[in-house]
Amino acid sequence: MPELPEVEVTRRGVAPYLEGRIVGNVTLRHTGLRWPFPPELPRILTGRTVRGTGRRGKYLLVRFDHGTLIIHLGMSGHIRILPQDVPPQKHDHFDMQIGGQVLRLTDPRRFGAVLWHAAEDGDVENHLLLRALGVEPLEEKFTAQLLHSQTRARTAAIKQVLLAGDIVVGVGNIYASESLFRARINPKTPAHRISLARYERLAQAIREVLAEAIAQGGSTLKDFISVNGQSGYFQQSYFVYARTGEPCRICNAPIRQLVQGQRSTFYCANCQK
DNA sequence: AGCGGTCCCTGTGCGC
DNA sequence: TGCGCACAGGGACCGC
C-alpha cells in the first residue's frame, strides 16, 4: 500500500537510473490502469532525456524538457529497475527502457496511473489531478496553524479530513491512524473541534511518522534493482494499524477498529481522547 | 463548499 | 479440497 513514504523511497531508488539518461523503447502491455495509457507515450518518450524526478503527494514525476510523466502506484503498484532481458509477468503493464535497463511498473489491481503532461500546457502542478492537492507534509508550509485554519468549517472526523488530501497530502489510511495515535487524538473527533494546541501535536506526529517511514524505507533501496524485490512494503511495527484486539503498546488496552468512509481506522480508546 | 456514498480492480484469507 | 464472499485501499466522481 504505497503511501507518501513508499512513493518517496521509490523516487529516490529509481532516480539514479533515470536522471540524465535517454529513454529507449516504451512498451504498454495493457490498455491502461485507472485511466487509459496515453497511446502515443512511446513516441513521446523514446529518444528523450530524463532531466529529473519529483513527487507531489503520492504522484511520482519524471521530468523531461517537453513535459512530465506522471505515475501513480495506486494501492498495489510498484516500480523496479531490471535488466532488459527479464521477461514480463502477468501484472507488468508498463516498461520504459533506459540506460541499458528497464523501468517496469507492476500493478495487479490497476488502481495506479501513467499520464503525460506536456510542457506546453504549463507547469505540471496545474495538472487537473495535482492542482487541488493540499500542502506537502514534509515542507515548511505544513503547520499546525494551517491545519487549524483550514478545518474551521470541517465537521467531518479528523481521520477522514486527513485522508481527503485537500489540506495535506500523502497521509493514507495507515499513517493517518498512526499519526492520530501518536498525537493522542481520537480519529472520530470533528476536525473543527480540535484546538490549535492539539493540531500542534498532530502536525508534529505526521512529520515524524512520515519521516521515520522514509528513513526505514531507505534501507530497502537496493530492492528497486532486484528481480524479487519487495518494494512498497516496509517491515514496520505499527502502534495501532491492523492491531485490532491486541494490547496498546503504551497502555495495554485493546486496540479498537472502526469504519470511517468505508475504511478501517485503528485506535486506542484509552490513549486517544 | 463540504460530506458521504459508490466505484474501479484482483489477490488473499476466511467460513462453510 | 473447493467455492463463494468479504475485504484491502487511493482517490475521482456524483448527488445532496
Side-chain angles (χ1 to χ4, degrees):
Chain A
M1 317 149 210
E3 297 194 19
L4 184 148
E6 289 82 355
V7 177
E8 178 60 20
V9 168
T10 297
R11 189 194 67 75
R12 295 181 189 182
V14 301
Y17 301 92
L18 304 184
E19 291 176 0
R21 306 201 183 196
I22 298 172
V23 175
N25 290 337
V26 171
T27 307
L28 311 174
R29 290 197 194 80
H30 202 280
T31 53
L33 303 175
R34 184 184 182 116
W35 297 287
F37 290 130
E40 66 278 20
L41 261 186
R43 179 184 58 74
I44 290 173
L45 298 178
T46 300
R48 302 292 186 146
T49 301
V50 173
R51 296 304 180 193
T53 61
R55 180 187 55 73
R56 183 72 176 93
K58 295 170 189 167
Y59 291 92
L60 184 63
L61 308 176
V62 182
R63 301 180 195 280
F64 297 81
D65 287 333
H66 63 317
T68 302
L69 188 66
I70 302 172
I71 300 174
H72 198 291
L73 300 177
M75 73 151 290
S76 60
H78 67 266
I79 282 175
R80 284 166 300 163
I81 304 291
L82 300 169
Q84 288 187 3
D85 58 1
V86 177
Q89 301 192 324
K90 189 177 176 187
H91 300 297
D92 295 340
H93 306 305
F94 173 84
D95 275 6
M96 183 173 83
Q97 289 183 0
I98 187 158
Q101 295 175 288
V102 60
L103 176 150
R104 177 164 292 166
L105 172 63
T106 307
D107 185 4
R109 289 175 218 182
R110 296 197 279 118
F111 273 29
V114 179
L115 300 166
W116 175 251
H117 180 83
E120 64 193 36
D121 293 331
D123 195 301
V124 71
E125 294 275 333
N126 295 327
H127 188 280
L128 231 54
L129 294 175
L130 305 187
R131 65 191 315 164
L133 294 181
V135 303
E136 287 290 330
L138 297 178
E139 292 182 1
E140 287 188 4
K141 284 175 293 183
F142 176 60
T143 61
Q145 286 80 4
L146 179 92
L147 278 177
H148 188 257
S149 65
Q150 296 287 301
T151 50
R152 290 312 83 199
R154 304 287 288 262
T155 56
I158 181 60
K159 160 78 169 354
Q160 290 176 263
V161 170
L162 288 179
L163 281 187
D166 55 342
I167 298 176
V168 58
V169 292
V171 186
N173 206 42
I174 296 172
Y175 298 119
S177 282
E178 292 295 312
S179 300
L180 287 165
F181 174 79
R182 192 176 293 218
R184 306 194 306 278
I185 296 171
N186 189 302
K188 291 179 284 190
T189 313
H192 71 130
R193 297 250 177 85
I194 297 175
S195 67
L196 180 58
R198 308 189 84 209
Y199 274 128
E200 292 281 2
R201 293 214 304 262
L202 182 56
Q204 187 60 24
I206 289 170
R207 285 186 212 108
E208 289 173 2
V209 165
L210 295 179
E212 285 170 20
I214 291 172
Q216 198 145 27
S219 63
T220 69
L221 280 182
K222 60 183 184 329
D223 291 342
F224 292 96
I225 55 168
S226 80
V227 180
N228 299 313
Q230 295 291 309
S231 58
Y233 293 86
F234 298 170
Q235 263 83 64
Q236 193 163 324
S237 70
Y238 299 122
F239 277 93
V240 289
Y241 184 78
R243 295 193 65 239
T244 311
E246 294 176 40
C248 171
R249 298 193 201 283
I250 303 296
C251 76
N252 280 329
I255 299 302
R256 295 196 193 177
Q257 178 176 1
L258 64 100
V259 174
Q260 295 177 289
Q262 344 283 70
R263 298 280 145 75
S264 285
T265 301
F266 304 89
Y267 72 110
C268 172
N270 186 44
C271 291
Q272 296 171 257
K273 302 294 185 189

